[in-house]
Amino acid sequence: MIKDKSCESVVYSQKGNEYQIKSKYVISTNDIETLYTKMLSDHIVSQKFKQKLNDAVLYSSAVTVSIALDCPAENLGIGQELICISKEGINRNDHDSGDPLISDISILAPSVRDKSLAPEGKGLLTLYIPAYIDYKDYWGCTKDEKGNYLRGEKYNQIKTEVADILIQRVEKELSIDLKTHILFYDVSTPITYLRYTGNKNGTMMGARPGKENMQAGIAHHQTPVKNLVLGGHWSDLGGGVPICAKAAINSVTLILKKENKEKFNLLASYIDGKIGLAELNSSKLVKEYNNSWSN
Ligand SMILES: Cc1cc2nc3c(=O)[nH]c(=O)nc-3n(C[C@H](O)[C@H](O)[C@H](O)COP(=O)(O)OP(=O)(O)OC[C@H]3O[C@@H](n4cnc5c(N)ncnc54)[C@H](O)[C@@H]3O)c2cc1C
């Protein structure tokens, strides 16, 4: 919500009720095109820049097969390592083409590192490949009048086919009998990632670093709306958790610069490596925190 050309609150609905959160600043981490084309009035962001966003080069999405095993992953010879299956003799670009027959597969067993993820004597395995939303005509989905993908039988059939191919490739390359140890599995596709995150085409990490995106000025924190700041992976190029952490701290320091110069200087000194963490934490400007977070 905008008042006097400045962002002043966020309105959202939950279970049929509408709520408003008032805030002098709003940091947005959701999909940038959704923010600029659907959440703000049409005239606020220029058509030219919206077109640049539309043309931006994005990271792929993914297919993830999350498998529940009837045994610890260690019994199949899989430990804490990340295993990568890469096909030989194919073009460089085909490794992340999204074709389940040739794309690189990453294999991780999260339950090896964190035993609380699976019951005793059981395990978890995730198989992952880069993937794209237009695979097999948008994963066999149709669209409703609002443009949402509708998932039906064809969608389930395609994702099961893809999962089966990946499971077979893993069995062959690792010489393990995986199928008989599967209690159940769940498949996330680009349609799933789009549905849960709202990120365009289900992209994993937003805009790629590179000449096109740099020249188009895709990365930015300050939006055309006063006090509406970008803070997630859409505010920078490169995506991923490190870029998000950088974007978060940058958005906060931008706000502190306007609101509290003293605190801004302190935080900026720490980020620039001029003072250490102990010195930052011992400052009277920093509130005490007992590190009691839990997840
Ligand atoms: C399969 C996969 C594997 C990955 N692997 C890695 C990895 O190994 N290493 C790495 O560094 N990064 C990895 N990433 C990327 C990393 O997860 C993302 O870059 C990061 O989570 C983005 O964080 P964010 O806070 O910018 O946005 P998000 O995590 O996308 O958070 C945005 C939030 O906004 C919410 N939202 C969206 N629209 C609205 C709306 N209209 N109203 C209200 N809320 C909304 C979403 O539900 C979401 O919770 C991976 C991503 C995927 C999908």
Side-chain angles (χ1 to χ4, degrees):
M1 304 302 287
I2 298 169
K3 196 175 168 192
D4 300 331
K5 294 187 177 172
S6 179
C7 200
E8 57 129 29
S9 67
V10 173
V11 171
Y12 70 98
S13 60
Q14 187 187 36
K15 294 181 182 162
N17 296 320
E18 205 164 86
Y19 301 90
Q20 182 171 25
I21 302 172
K22 291 206 170 240
S23 172
K24 185 168 178 188
Y25 290 86
V26 172
I27 300 177
S28 164
T29 67
N30 71 307
D31 179 74
I32 191 169
E33 276 187 73
T34 306
L35 177 72
Y36 282 177
T37 60
K38 293 187 182 154
M39 296 168 91
L40 296 176
S41 305
D42 202 34
H43 67 277
I44 291 179
V45 179
S46 74
Q47 201 49 46
K48 196 172 161 200
F49 190 64
K50 283 184 204 166
Q51 189 58 46
K52 284 183 178 175
L53 286 178
N54 187 52
D55 298 340
V57 186
L58 304 183
Y59 279 103
S60 73
S61 184
V63 166
T64 310
V65 186
S66 305
I67 301 173
L69 297 169
D70 68 357
C71 63
E74 294 93 320
N75 287 16
L76 302 176
I78 300 171
Q80 289 196 8
E81 68 281 0
L82 166 69
I83 301 169
C84 184
I85 294 179
S86 192
K87 209 162 178 69
E88 287 180 1
I90 60 173
N91 283 333
R92 177 84 183 83
N93 289 336
D94 289 342
H95 290 283
D96 64 357
S97 64
D99 178 346
L101 289 165
I102 56 173
S103 290
D104 287 0
I105 309 176
S106 297
I107 306 166
L108 271 174
S111 56
V112 176
R113 191 175 288 259
D114 182 351
K115 293 284 171 211
S116 70
L117 291 175
E120 214 181 315
K122 309 277 191 290
L124 282 181
L125 203 61
T126 60
L127 318 180
Y128 150 95
I129 56 165
Y132 298 88
I133 200 147
D134 55 1
Y135 179 72
K136 296 221 166 165
D137 200 11
Y138 295 86
W139 293 82
C141 294
T142 51
K143 273 188 179 179
D144 68 11
E145 67 285 355
K146 286 184 180 161
N148 299 314
Y149 291 103
L150 300 174
R151 294 157 290 134
E153 215 169 288
K154 189 130 190 242
Y155 173 70
N156 287 333
Q157 182 200 324
I158 294 172
K159 69 175 189 169
T160 306
E161 271 168 23
V162 170
D164 280 348
I165 292 171
L166 299 185
I167 290 166
Q168 276 171 30
R169 282 182 63 198
V170 169
E171 282 194 314
K172 185 167 171 251
E173 296 302 329
L174 299 189
S175 297
I176 55 171
D177 180 14
L178 179 55
K179 231 173 180 169
T180 56
H181 290 287
I182 297 177
L183 291 173
F184 61 92
Y185 67 75
D186 192 40
V187 188
S188 311
T189 69
I191 304 281
T192 319
Y193 286 117
L194 171 67
R195 198 156 54 89
Y196 277 88
T197 67
N199 285 323
K200 184 178 178 183
N201 297 340
T203 177
M204 282 189 287
M205 302 194 287
R208 279 179 183 271
K211 191 175 155 195
E212 294 97 332
N213 288 344
M214 280 178 182
Q215 284 179 343
I218 299 297
H220 61 289
H221 281 284
Q222 189 53 61
T223 71
V225 179
K226 193 178 159 207
N227 294 355
L228 173 62
V229 181
L230 300 184
H233 64 188
W234 290 106
S235 60
D236 213 327
L237 305 180
V241 176
I243 289 292
C244 291
K246 181 183 145 204
I249 201 106
N250 277 343
S251 55
V252 168
T253 36
L254 277 171
I255 293 170
L256 278 180
K257 195 175 180 180
K258 285 209 274 179
E259 290 292 313
N260 191 320
K261 260 281 165 32
E262 224 184 340
K263 286 183 182 168
F264 164 77
N265 286 334
L266 179 73
L267 194 57
S269 299
Y270 170 66
I271 295 165
D272 290 342
K274 291 177 185 156
I275 60 168
L277 190 59
E279 200 177 331
L280 174 75
N281 281 334
S282 65
S283 165
K284 283 195 210 91
L285 297 172
V286 175
K287 281 190 182 161
E288 263 193 45
Y289 176 57
N290 64 7
N291 241 353
S292 60
W293 65 278
S294 64
N295 57 15

